[in-house]
């Protein structure tokens, strides 16, 4: 193994645009190429959204998660919308992630790495390029960075100007998250700041408040003992992630920085490639090969062990700690069949990856009244089975990846309030996939602790 893998130079045959020589799936067709070039020129000049030192700090933390010393909590919307870039939505999402991480820290007795699916989660892969309604066929909605969801020819036309809007909405989101955290919002002395209005009446409130109380006691005890404020407990870190789908946008935010070799994607800390674009010889894997960020790949039930090993060869040839995560998303019904051969192959080859469970995307179904939903029990069961299957294989589940919101939506059925299919009509707001609401999210965190707690 290379003793200084992070200093190894970028592969000689890679450039930020070498992906253009490979098949790029899920890309929009822009009608005006000159307009696209103008936008990309503007984007290349705009300031980045994150820094290389934050990226490298996260990579070190992910390396610790690989060793079982930390646990990754990655969560947020399936798709952010430009209109949802507003203070209530952002702070509620932050609150639920902070509450979940508090439950996990308390129960697992290890630090939690908090990564939002936000500040850039604007591009969506679709199963079909077009959509037909009442005899009219239009391009599919591909996320707000590409087009708009309304079913009109104008809304569905890919518009490169949306990349500039996505960059600025991402920056506004980041700015607000950073300001909240720096301003004491995430202060462990005041977990009551994170309470959502539902707290009082939730069936989970008593268990949560008990935990908060005992954390408060621990903080006060340590402060009494040391005679000083527990400064490094005051703050928590937050990192961002999104699916790196729209490669022209990602390329424009791929930069070199002073005093660091190589290239960084400075639009987000921890980009991932979705299941539909993870082909070994495809453009997305080619793009990921050359950036120094920690990267993640979604792994679905059709992936073969050999494919996974080849992906490791390409994406982490030096076996660099923290560099590569596999997010498995098999579904509760299939995970016991599909996951073990992958775990065995990676373990047998002695490869270093961070295994993460996405308990959402293998559990999507449609109701008879036309809603896309997920059953809470399947989500919880997939997380629980993941822990068991990793334990049996001698590997480690290092984190979870969830679609969730801090809002009181009714998109997934079940959970403490036993939402039914009829409840879905009440507050179904997602423009793509169904999310856990705040209460179901907290319940998943509690289920993880019950399964795995010290
Ligand atoms: C997603 O994360 O929203 C997604 C589309 O996932 P996958 O690529 O795993 O289907
Ligand atoms: Co989704």
């Amino acid at each position: 193994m290379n003793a200084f893998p992070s200093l190894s130079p970028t592969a000689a045959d890679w450039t930020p645009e070498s992906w253009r020589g490979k098949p790029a799936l899920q890309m929009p067709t822009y009608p005006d190429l000159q307009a696209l070039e103008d936008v990309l020129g503007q984007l290349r000049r705009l300031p980045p959204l994150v820094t290389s030192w934050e990226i490298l700090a996260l990579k070190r933390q992910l390396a610790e998660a690989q060793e079982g010393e930390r646990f990754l909590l990655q969560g947020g919307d399936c798709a952010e919308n430009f209109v949802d870039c507003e203070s209530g939505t952002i702070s509620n999402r932050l609150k639920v992630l902070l509450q979940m991480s508090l439950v996990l820290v308390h129960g697992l007795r290890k630090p939690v790495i908090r990564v939002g699916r936000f500040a850039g989660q604007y591009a969506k892969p679709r199963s079909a390029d077009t959509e037909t309604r009442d005899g009219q066929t239009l391009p599919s909605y591909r996320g707000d960075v590409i087009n708009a969801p309304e079913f009109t020819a104008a809304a569905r036309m890919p518009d490169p100007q949306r990349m500039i809007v996505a960059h600025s909405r991402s920056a506004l989101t980041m700015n607000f998250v950073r300001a909240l955290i720096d301003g004491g919002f995430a202060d462990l002395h005041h977990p009551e700041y994170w309470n959502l209005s539902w707290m009082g009446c939730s069936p989970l409130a008593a268990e949560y408040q008990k935990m908060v109380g005992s954390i408060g006691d621990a903080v006060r005890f340590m402060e009494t003992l040391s005679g000083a404020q527990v400064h490094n407990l005051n703050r928590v870190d937050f990192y961002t992630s999104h699916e790196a789908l729209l490669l022209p946008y990602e390329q424009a935010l791929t930069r070199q920085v002073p005093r660091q070799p190589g290239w960084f994607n400075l639009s987000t800390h921890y980009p991932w490639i979705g299941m539909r674009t993870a082909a070994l010889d495809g453009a997305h894997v080619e793009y990921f090969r050359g950036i120094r960020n920690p990267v993640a790949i979604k792994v679905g039930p059709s992936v073969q062990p050999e494919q996974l090993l080849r992906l490791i060869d390409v994406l982490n040839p030096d076996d660099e700690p923290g560099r590569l995560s596999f997010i498995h998303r098999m579904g509760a019904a299939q995970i016991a069949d599909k996951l073990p051969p992958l775990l065995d192959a990676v373990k047998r080859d002695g490869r270093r990856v961070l295994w993460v469970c996405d308990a959402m995307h293998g559990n999507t179904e449609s109701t008879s009244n036309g809603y896309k939903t997920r059953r809470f029990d399947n989500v919880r069961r997939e997380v629980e089975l993941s822990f068991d299957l990793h334990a049996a294989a001698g590997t480690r589940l290092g984190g979870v990846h969830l679609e969730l919101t801090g809002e009181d939506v009714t998109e997934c059925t079940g959970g403490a309030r036993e939402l039914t299919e009829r409840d879905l009509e009440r507050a179904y707001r997602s423009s793509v996939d169904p999310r856990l609401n705040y209460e179901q999210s907290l319940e998943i965190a509690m289920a993880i602790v019950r399964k795995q707690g010290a």
Side-chain angles (χ1 to χ4, degrees):
M1 196 191 105
N2 185 341
F4 299 101
S6 60
L7 296 181
S8 59
T10 306
D13 57 344
W14 184 91
T15 69
E17 61 177 348
S18 56
W19 63 268
R20 291 179 188 271
K22 306 268 181 170
L25 300 183
Q26 299 281 342
M27 288 297 134
T29 307
Y30 288 103
D32 180 346
L33 291 180
Q34 189 52 50
L36 174 64
E37 278 315 308
D38 291 348
V39 160
L40 294 175
Q42 284 178 55
L43 273 177
R44 281 196 293 274
R45 283 194 305 276
L46 287 171
L49 299 168
V50 302
T51 63
S52 59
W53 56 91
E54 292 167 344
I55 289 171
L56 295 175
L58 174 61
K59 203 193 262 182
R60 284 191 292 275
Q61 295 190 11
L62 293 169
E64 291 173 13
Q66 285 173 340
E67 301 304 319
E69 290 153 15
R70 290 178 183 266
F71 192 77
L72 170 71
L73 171 64
Q74 185 174 19
D77 285 318
C78 179
E80 287 178 284
N81 299 116
F82 291 165
V83 291
D84 288 336
C85 182
E86 52 99 24
S87 63
T89 307
I90 295 169
S91 59
N92 283 350
R93 189 172 46 210
L94 212 55
K95 283 177 183 179
V96 78
L97 286 166
L98 283 166
Q99 288 190 333
M100 291 173 80
S101 71
L102 196 70
V103 170
L104 293 172
V105 168
H106 182 258
L108 301 180
R109 305 263 180 249
K110 57 177 81 166
V112 168
I113 310 168
R114 299 164 195 82
V115 177
R117 272 179 73 116
F118 58 54
Q121 179 48 21
Y122 289 117
K124 296 308 299 174
R126 301 317 303 255
S127 40
D129 285 344
T130 58
E131 184 181 341
T132 302
R133 287 190 204 170
D134 302 327
Q136 190 186 12
T137 298
L138 293 175
S140 296
Y141 169 59
R142 291 185 176 277
D144 277 11
V145 65
I146 292 167
N147 56 7
E150 294 77 34
F151 195 74
T152 65
R156 292 295 175 89
M157 185 62 78
D159 177 0
Q161 278 298 331
R162 288 180 159 269
M163 289 192 239
I164 304 287
V165 182
H167 176 273
S168 68
R169 298 288 154 115
S170 301
L172 292 170
T173 304
M174 279 301 286
N175 182 57
F176 189 46
V177 167
R178 290 187 197 279
L180 283 172
I181 288 179
D182 284 350
F185 184 79
D187 187 339
L188 273 177
H189 295 85
H190 295 286
E192 71 277 10
Y193 293 175
W194 320 337
N195 281 357
L196 290 145
S197 49
W198 60 277
M199 249 324 193
C201 54
S202 168
L204 304 173
E207 193 174 342
Y208 177 73
Q209 293 302 357
K210 210 169 104 202
M211 258 177 237
V212 168
S214 78
I215 288 171
D217 288 347
V219 170
R220 279 185 292 278
F221 175 74
M222 283 168 69
E223 288 178 342
T224 310
L225 207 63
S226 67
Q229 281 242 320
V230 185
H231 286 294
N232 51 8
L233 274 183
N234 282 353
R235 296 267 174 79
V236 297
D237 294 329
F238 246 101
Y239 296 99
T240 62
S241 65
H242 65 247
E243 178 170 348
L245 185 70
L246 185 59
L247 292 175
Y249 177 86
E250 304 299 334
Q251 182 193 329
L253 273 298
T254 301
R255 312 278 173 87
Q256 287 178 299
V257 299
R259 289 178 293 283
Q260 280 286 348
W263 294 81
F264 291 83
N265 180 330
L266 297 181
S267 77
T268 192
H269 300 111
Y270 186 24
W272 80 83
I273 297 181
M275 188 184 70
R276 293 164 190 78
T277 48
L280 198 56
D281 56 357
H284 292 81
V285 169
E286 170 61 20
Y287 170 71
F288 263 25
R289 186 167 69 89
I291 56 172
R292 288 195 54 201
N293 303 58
V295 295
I297 308 281
K298 293 284 201 90
V299 176
S302 64
V303 173
Q304 298 302 309
E306 192 54 26
Q307 251 172 297
L308 220 51
L309 298 180
R310 296 287 75 78
L311 279 170
I312 302 176
D313 289 340
V314 171
L315 293 172
N316 197 17
D318 295 327
D319 200 34
E320 182 189 358
R323 156 74 175 163
L324 180 61
S325 307
F326 284 138
I327 307 174
H328 48 77
R329 30 89 79 226
M330 302 292 176
Q334 294 207 68
I335 188 168
D337 281 343
K338 303 292 182 183
L339 185 62
L342 302 179
L343 302 182
D344 290 344
V346 174
K347 184 170 166 47
R348 211 176 317 116
D349 248 43
R351 308 302 187 98
R352 197 194 314 248
V353 301
L354 179 68
W355 290 106
V356 179
C357 169
D358 167 354
M360 311 304 293
H361 288 89
N363 293 313
T364 315
E365 52 189 296
S366 292
T367 64
S368 50
N369 48 355
Y371 285 100
K372 217 175 173 188
T373 191
R374 292 162 174 154
R375 295 178 209 208
F376 178 82
D377 280 348
N378 286 339
V379 174
R380 184 181 51 201
R381 202 149 54 85
E382 182 161 357
V383 173
E384 291 173 349
L385 282 168
S386 294
F387 279 111
D388 292 339
L389 294 166
H390 278 279
T395 49
R396 180 179 291 113
L397 183 67
V400 288
H401 181 116
L402 300 164
E403 287 187 341
L404 53 82
T405 169
E407 306 302 307
D408 182 13
V409 299
T410 55
E411 297 172 5
C412 294
T413 58
R417 263 178 226 273
E418 298 178 359
L419 296 181
T420 64
E421 288 192 7
R422 272 197 313 285
D423 290 311
L424 299 183
E425 296 164 13
R426 183 154 52 81
Y428 196 104
R429 295 202 216 119
S430 174
S431 54
V432 190
D433 286 341
R435 301 159 296 179
L436 300 172
N437 63 25
Y438 51 69
E439 200 167 80
Q440 292 165 330
S441 304
L442 202 58
E443 209 176 338
I444 285 289
M446 289 176 177
I448 292 171
V449 165
R450 247 174 250 130
K451 184 79 192 160
Q452 205 60 14

